Amino acid sequence: MNNKAAWIRNIGIMAHIDAGKTTTTERILFYTGRVHRMGEVDKGTATMDWMSQEQERGITITSAATACYWKNHTVNIIDTPGHVDFTIEVERSLRVLDGAIAIFCAVAGVQPQSETVWRQANRYRVPRIAYINKMDRIGADFDRAVEMINHQLGDNAVPIQIPLGAEDNFRGMIDVIRHKAYVYDDGSFGESFTERELSAEEIVLAESAREILLEKLSETDDSIMERFLEGEEIPEDEIVAALRRATIADKIVPVLCGSSFKNKGVQMLLDAVVDYLPSPLDITAVEGINIASGKPEQRAADEKAPFCALAFKIAVDPYVGKLTYFRIYSGSIKVGDQVINSGKGKKERISKLLKMHANHREEVAAAVAGDIIAGVGFKFTATGDTLDSDGAIVLEAIDFPEPVIDVAIEPKTRDDQERIGDSLKKLSEEDPSFRTRYNSETGQTIISGMGELHLEIVIDRLLKEFKVNANIGKPQVAYKESVSSSGRGEAVFERQTGGHGQFAHLILEVYPLEEGKGKIFDNRSSAEDLLPEYVNATEIGVMEALQSGILAGYPVDDIGIRLLGGSFHEVDSSEQAFKVAASMAIKEALSKANPILLEPLMDIEIVSPDEYMGDIIADLNARRGRVLGFEENRDSRIIRGEIPLAETFGYATGLRSSSQGRASFSMQIKSYARVPESRSKLIVAKRY
């Protein structure tokens, strides 16, 4: 393995909120010597949770990158948030990572956000290992957690460890492949543990688990299957090699266990990262589209190939300015080099290259294929842009979710007005799931995000970090508008002002699309009717007009627009005239197409003791929610359902009150659904 990339592991740590991601990362940094003192999330001293907002709340908000070293390997780690409001951080991290550690709580097992991040990893075909954390907690059940992973996430999770004890009695683990027991000493920081032979009882457990592992491996490896069926003894190194191949092919998910908070099991987790997760050489070469030919083109992880990278995160650093994080897929780069932003055709010069350790920087002179690095000096690059040596290829971009909650914000002074515009621009560059728009009717700036917590963090940063003085409104649901039938609109824009006048004539039709299809513009006009530049201007005018619907001024979505025809004047017509006509025609078409309001619908999971179930279900129904199913837990019950986002404001307080503080819930966006007619009228009436 002479290629440097063979010794690199680019991994993410992903899980539901409070499963122990940041605590596990903190232990990894300690045992690899990256830090010499363990930080704790609940004390606000965790290395990776460096933002003041993270330390105050004890949660991860932004994905933080670091690098550490284990058994001659470089392990680049991105610690991602678990809260659903910050799912974009997981999305863009998984887009550039080669492998992942999925952490599960030994008590709760698979939770809603566990499923979300698992699906994200599936979408990007990221191999992963599972780590059942919190084995020391009351109610910890390793077998149940594994069963939940297989039942809810796919039938390919296979334990390669068995816990020694559970709850207060958790003391270590049995290695199923090597037939060894690792017992941790109490009172230490986990550096010292004892490796011993298995007892007769433990051998039976290990043999049974090894049998299951070999059965699974037999399904993916002919050599293993042949010897397994013939009853041959298969050497450890061959099992490890076969398991590595199966893990990289995403056919098996090795399962380990531990208690990161109690410093048990993290070293074996690191061993598993090195043994089973891929290097940049093990994954399929990244594929993009050649700009000239329009055909797919691959870039392999070869440092001698042309440079190609994907920018996946923008951050504003108070000391060095704008930081652009990017993953290098091929080639190499050094300080002073010039690269091309392929999608924008802009040249970028790199003034600094930085290895990041949370918010600490380490300058490096060069970086090669497989590295995750931050660059200074980029002027035009945004999240999802491709950087290329000759601008020949564009990689697949990153999809960003639509915001579901709005807040109105009004600067207090003229100086604040200027400052707020600049601050919001920087924040939206950092976070593509955060959007802003100006409401000309009210004179307010509207900021939109993925949830109440998301916007709370943004506002906190505006006030503290960017020193903006502003009046903040209450959170409002980010409704959308759409149409429920087809409608046709025709508009003539004609104005004589002396000299050249203005003329544009358009006929178009709108029709509903399935949820999630967005806006589709379909030109059916002939070249004789409309010149190409007028068609382009019409499309721009239509899209601008759809930013504000005719019902209540909300953006229009899931709509098709068919340009049927029109006419122009050789002297008086202009692109601006067609933009105005497009706005007029689209409003007429919308009014004839039975416009409707759409609202965000949330998946909700409520965990509660049995005695409060009746009150909780009654309250859910009263909030226009719907129960979809139940699940028995050891000492509680889980309600799975759906509820309109509009009904969830203040829900946490109500749930605590009705359950004496013993119930909890989590939510994530499910879809957009039509608002009932009676409620729609109330919403429209409030807007005007």
Side-chain angles (χ1 to χ4, degrees), residues 20-40:
K21 294 177 303 303
T22 302
T23 300
T24 302
T25 307
E26 207 65 30
R27 272 44 180 180
I28 287 173
L29 297 178
F30 179 75
Y31 297 129
T32 57
R34 194 68 178 79
V35 298
H36 301 292
R37 187 173 164 188
M38 289 184 196
E40 300 294 354

Side-chain angles (χ1 to χ4, degrees), residues 545-567:
L546 291 177
Q547 293 301 308
S548 178
I550 63 168
L551 268 184
Y554 292 108
V556 184
D557 204 8
D558 296 332
I559 187 172
I561 306 96
R562 199 175 283 125
L563 177 58
L564 301 175
S567 59

Side-chain angles (χ1 to χ4, degrees), residues 335-478:
V335 173
D337 279 357
Q338 184 174 274
V339 296
I340 296 175
N341 183 315
S342 303
K344 295 174 180 170
K346 299 282 190 180
K347 293 179 180 177
E348 298 274 30
R349 185 170 296 280
I350 297 166
S351 58
K352 283 183 183 178
L353 288 172
L354 305 168
K355 279 262 187 190
M356 298 301 294
H357 176 51
N359 61 331
H360 300 290
R361 301 159 300 279
E362 176 190 332
E363 285 197 39
V364 294
V368 299
D371 281 338
I372 290 176
I373 203 91
V376 179
F378 293 86
K379 294 181 180 177
F380 309 104
T381 299
T383 301
D385 286 356
T386 302
L387 302 168
D388 194 59
S389 55
D390 52 12
I393 190 174
V394 174
L395 303 178
E396 181 188 353
I398 303 170
D399 290 329
F400 305 122
E402 287 291 319
V404 295
I405 284 191
D406 294 342
V407 163
I409 183 167
E410 293 178 335
K412 291 183 177 179
T413 67
R414 188 176 293 277
D415 287 344
D416 288 318
Q417 176 72 54
E418 293 175 7
R419 195 181 295 120
I420 199 172
D422 185 49
S423 303
L424 290 174
K425 183 172 180 286
K426 288 178 180 177
L427 286 169
S428 56
E429 277 183 351
E430 287 188 25
D431 181 358
S433 66
F434 167 67
R435 315 276 170 86
T436 68
R437 69 182 190 276
Y438 182 72
N439 187 324
S440 56
E441 293 179 9
T442 63
Q444 295 174 318
T445 297
I446 308 298
I447 60 175
S448 306
M450 298 305 298
E452 287 183 89
L453 180 60
H454 186 195
L455 288 183
E456 182 187 313
I457 300 298
V458 168
I459 291 165
D460 196 46
R461 290 189 65 191
L462 272 176
L463 301 178
K464 291 180 181 175
E465 192 177 321
F466 294 96
K467 306 289 191 271
V468 171
N469 291 311
N471 297 315
I472 312 296
K474 291 183 178 179
Q476 305 287 331
V477 174

Side-chain angles (χ1 to χ4, degrees), residues 474-531:
K474 291 183 178 179
Q476 305 287 331
V477 174
Y479 292 101
K480 290 181 184 179
E481 296 185 26
S482 191
V483 294
S484 56
S485 63
S486 297
R488 187 174 170 129
E490 182 171 1
V492 176
F493 176 64
E494 192 169 13
R495 183 170 294 169
Q496 292 298 328
T497 56
H500 287 312
Q502 296 283 352
F503 178 83
H505 170 221
L506 287 172
I507 306 168
L508 51 78
E509 182 183 41
V510 298
Y511 54 95
L513 294 178
E514 291 178 19
E515 194 219 329
K517 293 294 184 183
K519 296 180 277 286
I520 297 176
F521 184 83
D522 179 16
N523 176 29
R524 298 288 182 88
S525 66
S526 66
E528 292 78 27
D529 290 339
L530 296 171
L531 297 176

